[in-house]
Amino acid sequence: MTGPLLSVRGVRKVFPLPQPLWRGLRGLPPPVVHALNGVSLEVARGETLGIVGESGCGKSTLARCLVRLWDVDDGQILFEGQDIGGLKGPARRAFNRRVQMIFQDPYSSLNPRMRVRQILAEALSVHRMRPAAEIPPRIAELLDLVRLPADAADRFPHEFSGGQRQRIGIARALAVEPEVLVADELVSALDVSVQAQVVNLLLHLQERLNLTVVFVAHDLRLVRHISHRVAVMYLGRVVELAPTEVLFSAPAHPYTRALLSAAPELDPARRTSRAATRGELPSPLDLPKGCLFATRCPLAFDRCHAERPEPTPRGPGHLAACHLPELPAQSQDRP
Ligand code: SF4
C-alpha cells in the first residue's frame, strides 16, 4: 500500500492527578498533566523514525499510545488508515501482533522464572504463529536472528548480561513477525559499549526484515545513527521533523539547535560550552499560552507569548513550529 503505515493526527493525552482538598473546596477541576498537546506525524513503511527530546517531553507517552497501551484523549492514530482506537476483537489482536513494543528495561520485562525457550514459545503460542512441532526450530531461528547462541534457549534471564537480555526482548518481539517495532529508550539502561551493538543489531534487523521502527531516545548520537527521519518533541508537541541529516546540519527550530549544542561531539562546527537551554521547563500542569518554548527561547518576541506556532514547511520533508521563518546565524542568538 502507498501512504504512511502509521499516522498520528492531533493527538492529545492528559493524566489526571489526585484532587487536592483546597482545589475541591474552591470548585476547581482536578489538575491534569498535559502529556501530549496535539502531536501529528507520519511513519512510512520500512523507515526508522527517531523521536528525541528531554525527559518529560512526552516521547514515551507517545510510544505507548502508538502501540495502544494507552488510549488517546483526542486526535487519532491510524494504522494502515484505520483508527486504532476503534479496533476490537480479531482486528485488535492483529494490530497487537503487527505493532510490537520493546521496553527500556530488559531486567523487568522478562519473567525471571522462565527459561528463554519458554519466553519465546509463549510469544509464539499466544498468537498461534507456528504449530507445536515448528516451535523449537523457530526458537533457534530467533536466537540466531538476534545473534545469541543456540544454548541460550535453556538459560534463565538472570544468566545474561543487560545487552543479551535486551536481545532476548527483541527476539520475543520478533517472534510474532511484527511489521512495526516501537523501541522506547531501548539501550539507555545499558553500558555505552553495549549500546552500539544493540542499536547496530536493530539496524540490521530493520533492513533484513523491512521493519518499520519508531526509535524513542534522548541520545542524539544513537538517533542520528539509526534514523531516516527525526522528530524533536518539546512539552508534548513535535517542534521539528526532518530527514536526519537535514535536522542535524540545518535545524530550523531554536530548541533543536539548543539540543544539538548540548551534544557538541555531534557537530564540531557547533562546538560551544554554553548550556543547551536556559530557564525552567514550564509545568505540564499549566502550559504557557503561546509557544511552549517561549519561556526558554533566546529568540522569543511578543508574538511568541501570544500565539502558539503550528508546524510549517521549511524544505522537502522538513517542518518546524516556530514563528521565525528562519533562524539567524548561531552567534546572533547568544546573550
Ligand atoms: Fe522561540 Fe518564538 Fe520560535 Fe517559539 S516561536 S521557538 S519562542 S522564536
Side-chain angles (χ1 to χ4, degrees):
M1 93 175 239
T2 55
L5 186 58
L6 276 167
S7 296
V8 179
R9 295 188 181 165
V11 161
R12 296 180 186 278
K13 178 74 184 167
V14 299
F15 294 101
L17 296 178
Q19 172 76 303
L21 183 60
W22 69 268
R23 284 183 70 97
L25 290 174
R26 291 185 193 175
L28 296 169
V32 293
V33 173
H34 298 269
L36 298 177
N37 301 299
V39 172
S40 296
L41 53 81
E42 294 181 338
V43 192
R45 190 182 292 275
E47 84 162 334
T48 298
L49 176 73
I51 300 182
V52 294
E54 291 169 288
S55 175
C57 72
K59 55 191 191 301
S60 291
T61 302
L62 178 61
R64 278 160 177 72
C65 290
L66 285 176
V67 298
R68 215 184 149 192
L69 276 179
W70 293 335
D71 283 325
V72 304
D73 293 313
D74 197 12
Q76 288 180 312
I77 296 178
L78 308 180
F79 179 65
E80 288 186 331
Q82 272 201 301
D83 186 347
I84 66 170
L87 297 177
K88 292 187 171 57
R92 172 82 189 262
R93 284 194 291 281
F95 172 78
N96 290 346
R97 180 189 70 73
R98 295 172 72 189
V99 182
Q100 289 283 305
M101 183 143 182
I102 314 173
F103 292 93
Q104 173 180 3
D105 183 0
Y107 301 92
S108 66
S109 65
L110 300 171
N111 186 333
R113 286 183 287 280
M114 289 170 83
R115 295 181 195 274
V116 170
R117 182 186 307 287
Q118 294 169 285
I119 292 170
L120 297 180
E122 183 183 64
L124 289 164
S125 311
V126 166
H127 288 281
R128 301 196 182 108
M129 299 305 297
R130 292 285 192 282
E134 291 179 25
I135 286 179
R138 177 61 176 155
I139 289 173
E141 199 174 88
L142 286 165
L143 291 175
D144 185 55
L145 259 183
V146 298
R147 299 170 184 164
L148 283 172
D151 64 5
D154 296 313
R155 289 150 62 189
F156 290 95
H158 75 264
E159 296 177 62
F160 295 91
S161 68
Q164 289 171 323
R165 272 191 282 240
Q166 199 55 287
R167 286 166 193 263
I168 297 167
I170 295 172
R172 182 177 56 181
L174 294 178
V176 298
E177 296 169 29
E179 288 153 60
V180 182
L181 287 182
V182 178
D184 182 19
E185 298 284 7
L186 178 71
V187 295
S188 60
L190 304 177
D191 290 345
V192 174
S193 59
V194 183
Q195 287 181 350
Q197 294 170 16
V198 177
V199 168
N200 283 333
L201 172 67
L202 190 65
L203 198 56
H204 168 76
L205 292 171
Q206 188 265 330
E207 286 172 1
R208 177 167 168 183
L209 304 175
N210 193 33
L211 293 166
T212 302
V213 177
V214 178
F215 187 80
V216 176
H218 64 271
D219 188 325
L220 289 163
R221 288 167 310 148
L222 294 176
V223 169
R224 184 178 195 175
H225 181 61
I226 197 171
S227 307
H228 299 110
R229 293 187 304 141
V230 177
V232 179
M233 288 189 67
Y234 184 79
L235 269 183
R237 280 175 75 84
V238 174
V239 295
E240 187 162 4
L241 178 65
T244 303
E245 285 315 312
V246 172
L247 187 111
F248 280 83
S249 61
H253 195 281
Y255 178 62
T256 309
R257 179 185 275 184
L259 276 184
L260 298 183
S261 294
E265 74 278 14
L266 285 172
D267 185 350
R270 288 193 163 74
R271 194 157 288 164
T272 168
S273 60
R274 71 198 168 115
T277 47
R278 307 171 191 82
E280 290 291 310
L281 191 69
S283 167
L285 292 168
D286 184 20
L287 297 175
K289 181 168 173 247
C291 174
L292 298 180
F293 190 51
T295 55
R296 304 166 86 189
C297 180
L299 303 170
F301 55 105
D302 289 351
R303 184 181 173 197
C304 306
H305 298 285
E307 187 186 328
R308 192 166 292 172
E310 292 300 324
T312 52
R314 305 305 168 102
H318 188 178
L319 296 168
C322 176
H323 291 312
L324 292 172
E326 61 184 52
L327 297 186
Q330 186 134 33
S331 58
Q332 293 176 29
D333 66 351
R334 292 179 184 225

